[in-house]
Amino acid sequence: RGPDHSGDEHGEESHDALLLHTSASDLHELKLRHEVLTADRDCLRQELCSAEQKLSSRSSLEARLAAAQRDQVAARESVVRSLHTLLEEEQQLQHAHEASLSSREEVSQAEAIVLEKDSALQMLKASEQNLKLAYDS
């Protein structure tokens, strides 16, 4: 081997060593990037799970809210029906009260007629006695 060859071999070895060093450095950098990306991926998965739980919770709350709103509408409808029933009952009571007043008035009128007839009957009896006395004397 000549000196030129040994220099070339040394140059090739140096070049190969540089390539190996660069490759090892690149590999190390790729491993670090892989670890960072893996950590980012895991973090994103956790955030996704958290977001899915929040969405599920929100959906559940929305369903509960919708059910509560339906219950509220049903309760309002029930109150309206109850108010209508109460109004109808109040009208029936008013009519019954008016009928009762009318009946009382009729009873008062009938009592007045009975008193008039009773008074007339008393006067008739008194006249009959007077006639009897007059006839007997």
Side-chain angles (χ1 to χ4, degrees):
R1 291 182 186 169
D4 293 327
H5 288 155
S6 77
D8 285 344
E9 274 183 34
H10 182 66
E12 283 180 30
E13 285 178 12
S14 174
H15 181 69
D16 288 346
L18 181 63
L19 284 177
L20 281 175
H21 178 72
T22 302
S23 295
S25 176
D26 288 347
L27 182 62
H28 180 70
E29 186 178 322
L30 286 173
K31 283 182 180 180
L32 288 176
R33 290 176 85 194
H34 176 73
E35 289 174 8
V36 168
L37 290 174
T38 300
D40 286 349
R41 183 197 64 202
D42 292 345
C43 184
L44 288 172
R45 279 186 181 163
Q46 288 177 349
E47 288 178 15
L48 178 62
C49 287
S50 176
E52 287 174 344
Q53 287 174 348
K54 287 177 183 175
L55 183 61
S56 174
S57 178
R58 179 179 176 163
S59 296
S60 173
L61 288 174
E62 286 173 346
R64 288 171 51 196
L65 176 63
Q69 287 172 336
R70 285 191 302 273
D71 291 348
Q72 187 179 26
V73 168
R76 284 182 183 160
E77 290 172 353
S78 175
V79 166
V80 168
R81 283 192 302 274
S82 295
L83 286 174
H84 283 297
T85 301
L86 285 173
L87 286 173
E88 289 172 2
E89 289 175 358
E90 185 179 356
Q91 288 174 346
Q92 290 173 356
L93 284 172
Q94 184 66 30
H95 292 311
H97 181 67
E98 290 170 3
S100 172
L101 289 177
S102 177
S103 294
R104 285 182 188 166
E105 192 174 311
E106 290 172 4
V107 166
S108 293
Q109 289 173 354
E111 286 175 345
I113 292 171
V114 166
L115 286 176
E116 285 177 27
K117 290 188 178 190
D118 195 36
S119 178
L121 185 60
Q122 293 297 327
M123 289 188 345
L124 219 85
K125 283 184 181 179
S127 295
E128 184 183 356
Q129 276 187 330
N130 286 341
L131 282 174
K132 217 178 192 185
L133 287 174
Y135 182 72
D136 287 342
S137 29

